[in-house]
Amino acid sequence: MPLSSVLLSSLVSSPTKKRSRAKMWMRTSMIMGIIMFVYQMVQPLILTTIRPFILRYCSRYIQKFIACTNPYIEISIDECTGEHFRLSGVYVAIQAYLRPKTCELARKMKAQFGTNKKLILTMADYEEIVDEFEGIKIWWYVGKTVSQRPIASDFEHRHLSLQFHRQHREIITGSYMYHVIKEGEAILRENRQRKLYSNNRTSWNRLVFDHPVKFEHIAMDPVKKKEIIDDLISFSNGKEYYEGIGKAWKRGYLLYGPPGTGKSSMVAAMANLLNYDIYDLELTAVKDNGDLRILMHETSKKSIIVMEDIDCCLDITKKRNDSVSKKDKEVADSIESRVTLSGLLNVIDGLWSASSGERIIVFTTNHIENIDPALIRKGRMDKHIEMSYCCFEGFKVLAKNYLKLDSHELFETIENLISQEQITPADVAEHLIPKTINKDPEHCLKNLIQTLEKRKEDRVANQQEEPKAEDKSEIPNPQEVEEKTD
């Protein structure tokens, strides 16, 4: 066919082909529009119903795939536990265990100051260090999460994670974790910063407890002092014993004696010996038994709960005493606290007493005769300690503390006088404190002797006046005799 004929035929057919292509594109556009419309209609259905099923099944297979390819296991320990977001003791113990390695290996650290302004370093957020146990490598990591609290804004807390090879699962979960917690708790006991807590109605306020008194400063008989120290140490090491006899790990001490005999100092010395916190519980600030249970539940392990001057809580200790005067009953009724004797007994010796282990409960009183016997019986107050007037052995302790004297020629005179007169350790200490720089120890001793001699003179004079008063009362009044005869 000639070329001219081919060109002519193509020119004739081209309008027809253009129209067919236009129709095809129109159909395609309509189909795409219908598809998009249908997709927009069914998209919410896919997102709300079908998509979760797809993701769930896909994630399951993804996790299985990761588990097959990743040989490492991870364990996390949260910083806070429970619905009240209380600081986890396990978390704190692990932090203490990791502290030496943190100082050696970590690049980012957080610093704070503990007891005696000792620098304490911990891992910063997102920091990682490596530990080794029986030839096994363990990676520790500090992470941070945000939890939605129902009544407040977002709550940020941290967690510690450890990673290890899955072939060491039994060793890590069976031996290593217990080793870490035990070692961490030992470090905390050695370096912990003791606290002194005071209560309002249902919560505790705290401050750093830095009282310097120790048992060597307590003015009392050395044999009696050693007995108390041995009892305290035996209690602190008695976890297995108390578990074996089925008793809560607690012990009660009753300290009684005149004012100024060192009851509060004894409590401070107990806390320093055992490295315990002190909770100073003021019962008159507690509204009722329910609030008392809340306060006792918030106390921690390794603590001493002190109720000073328990005899002054008239509404509790004298409620069952018929000999209470009318005035005392009016005072008791005016107290807002409605804590009852049974409520107090329940938290120190009942079911609530076992809510937190390793606690010492101390009552102090100046008048033991005013306390209900049920409150201080053995088993509740296990050990009764009389804080009496100063003896010569107690004086020697004070002379050593205040004057740095082990012996002196005036000691014999003081021994004779102090065995005859009643004087509190607080009074003796006041005389032994040098009031000026120039006064030497001998001057302080002479002042004490002078005070003791004055007390002896007053005592003798009072004893001589008493018989005279009795004799005078027996002599009849002449005027009265005359009236009777008349």
Side-chain angles (χ1 to χ4, degrees):
M1 179 181 294
L3 181 60
S4 58
S5 300
V6 174
L7 293 173
L8 182 62
S9 62
S10 62
L11 291 173
V12 173
S13 61
S14 60
T16 306
K17 289 182 178 180
K18 287 182 180 180
R19 284 194 297 270
S20 63
R21 289 195 189 97
K23 290 180 180 180
M24 182 183 66
W25 283 112
M26 289 178 62
R27 293 192 192 100
T28 303
S29 300
M30 291 178 62
I31 294 171
M32 292 297 295
I34 294 171
I35 292 174
M36 292 298 296
F37 176 78
V38 173
Y39 176 76
Q40 291 293 334
M41 295 294 293
V42 301
Q43 184 183 16
L45 180 63
I46 294 174
L47 292 176
T48 56
T49 58
I50 301 175
R51 185 179 179 183
F53 290 100
I54 297 174
L55 293 177
R56 185 174 64 183
Y57 285 107
C58 291
S59 62
R60 182 183 301 176
Y61 289 109
I62 292 172
Q63 290 176 1
K64 288 183 178 180
F65 176 76
I66 294 174
C68 293
T69 56
N70 183 14
Y72 291 93
I73 296 175
E74 181 175 325
I75 299 176
S76 294
I77 300 95
D78 287 334
E79 179 183 20
C80 299
T81 59
E83 59 181 7
H84 298 292
F85 291 92
R86 297 180 62 184
L87 185 64
S88 170
V90 173
Y91 182 92
V92 176
I94 295 174
Q95 265 193 331
Y97 171 82
L98 295 175
R99 195 167 297 146
K101 294 187 178 296
T102 300
C103 299
E104 181 182 355
L105 302 175
R107 291 190 174 185
K108 295 181 180 180
M109 295 172 281
K110 293 188 295 184
Q112 59 181 348
F113 291 91
T115 307
N116 298 326
K117 296 184 178 180
K118 184 177 180 180
L119 182 64
I120 298 175
L121 298 175
T122 56
M123 285 193 295
D125 298 338
Y126 310 116
E127 184 66 11
E128 183 181 85
I129 61 173
V130 181
D131 189 22
E132 189 170 337
F133 179 75
E134 296 182 2
I136 302 171
K137 282 191 174 182
I138 302 100
W139 290 266
W140 285 96
Y141 171 80
V142 178
K144 188 163 56 175
T145 56
V146 178
S147 299
Q148 295 287 339
R149 299 188 68 178
I151 59 174
S153 58
D154 294 349
F155 178 71
E156 184 179 84
H157 65 278
R158 292 163 181 79
H159 63 271
L160 283 165
S161 300
L162 68 155
Q163 289 187 346
F164 55 92
H165 198 281
R166 61 188 176 192
Q167 67 179 356
H168 304 305
R169 178 194 290 265
E170 293 184 2
I171 297 176
I172 299 299
T173 57
S175 303
Y176 176 71
M177 291 298 295
Y178 292 101
H179 165 75
V180 169
I181 296 171
K182 183 178 179 181
E183 292 294 323
E185 288 178 345
I187 295 172
L188 287 174
R189 281 194 297 270
E190 182 179 353
N191 299 323
R192 72 194 295 261
Q193 193 174 38
R194 292 181 300 279
K195 302 292 192 303
L196 174 62
Y197 294 84
S198 61
N199 68 290
N200 47 41
R201 179 179 168 183
T202 56
S203 61
W204 294 99
N205 303 315
R206 69 178 185 179
L207 52 86
V208 175
F209 178 73
D210 197 20
H211 201 297
V213 67
K214 299 179 181 178
F215 268 96
E216 51 262 35
H217 301 134
I218 302 295
M220 66 187 310
D221 182 67
V223 176
K224 187 176 180 180
K225 188 188 299 185
K226 185 178 184 305
E227 179 185 343
I228 298 170
I229 293 173
D230 291 343
D231 189 80
L232 289 167
I233 295 175
S234 176
F235 165 78
S236 65
N237 297 328
K239 180 178 181 180
E240 295 180 357
Y241 171 76
Y242 280 89
E243 289 178 353
I245 63 175
K247 186 178 179 182
W249 192 8
K250 67 176 185 61
R251 190 159 178 81
Y253 290 83
L254 174 67
L255 307 181
Y256 65 97
T261 52
K263 295 183 287 295
S264 298
S265 296
M266 174 63 74
V267 174
M270 288 179 174
N272 286 329
L273 174 69
L274 301 178
N275 202 15
Y276 283 9
D277 293 328
I278 295 179
Y279 288 83
D280 185 12
L281 179 58
E282 178 59 54
L283 288 174
T284 56
V286 184
K287 183 178 180 182
D288 52 32
N289 295 337
D291 290 347
L292 179 61
R293 286 193 294 268
I294 293 173
L295 286 171
M296 294 294 286
H297 180 66
E298 292 296 325
T299 59
S300 61
K301 296 191 302 181
K302 300 184 180 300
S303 62
I304 300 176
I305 302 170
V306 185
M307 303 180 200
E308 292 195 283
D309 297 323
I310 191 69
D311 56 294
C312 295
C313 300
L314 300 176
D315 197 34
I316 296 172
T317 59
K318 291 187 176 181
K319 186 169 288 187
R320 303 196 308 191
N321 191 343
D322 296 333
S323 63
V324 180
S325 65
K326 182 179 180 180
K327 182 179 179 181
D328 288 342
K329 288 182 178 179
E330 292 176 355
V331 174
D333 292 338
S334 66
I335 298 176
E336 295 183 1
S337 175
R338 291 295 179 264
V339 176
T340 63
L341 179 62
S342 61
L344 180 60
L345 296 179
N346 188 30
V347 296
I348 67 173
D349 193 35
L351 294 175
W352 280 84
S353 66
S355 61
S356 181
E358 197 173 356
R359 295 186 304 175
I360 291 175
I361 300 175
V362 178
F363 289 165
T364 71
T365 178
N366 298 333
H367 304 283
I368 189 173
E369 66 277 2
N370 291 341
I371 303 178
D372 193 306
L375 193 60
I376 59 175
R377 68 164 175 80
K378 292 298 178 69
R380 288 186 176 132
M381 293 295 106
D382 304 281
K383 193 170 184 62
H384 294 191
I385 302 173
E386 182 180 6
M387 307 296 292
S388 58
Y389 292 102
C390 189
C391 60
F392 180 65
E393 294 297 331
F395 159 75
K396 290 198 296 184
V397 172
L398 295 173
K400 176 68 174 177
N401 293 337
Y402 288 88
L403 303 177
K404 310 302 180 186
L405 292 177
D406 292 317
S407 62
H408 194 275
E409 58 184 10
L410 296 177
F411 275 20
E412 184 177 354
T413 304
I414 293 175
E415 182 179 7
N416 293 331
L417 290 171
I418 209 168
S419 62
Q420 302 174 29
E421 304 305 318
Q422 292 182 340
I423 185 169
T424 64
D427 289 337
V428 174
E430 179 62 26
H431 286 86
L432 296 182
I433 296 176
K435 301 301 187 295
T436 61
I437 299 176
N438 297 328
K439 288 186 178 180
D440 57 1
E442 184 174 347
H443 185 273
C444 297
L445 295 176
K446 288 180 179 179
N447 281 343
L448 177 60
I449 292 173
Q450 184 178 356
T451 299
L452 291 170
E453 288 176 343
K454 179 67 169 57
R455 292 194 178 197
K456 183 178 180 180
E457 293 174 1
D458 293 342
R459 178 176 57 82
V460 172
N462 290 333
Q463 289 176 351
Q464 291 176 352
E465 289 178 0
E466 288 177 0
K468 291 181 180 180
E470 293 176 359
D471 295 340
K472 184 176 181 180
S473 62
E474 293 175 358
I475 299 175
N477 189 346
Q479 186 176 357
E480 293 179 356
V481 173
E482 291 178 2
E483 291 178 355
K484 289 182 179 179
T485 56
D486 293 342

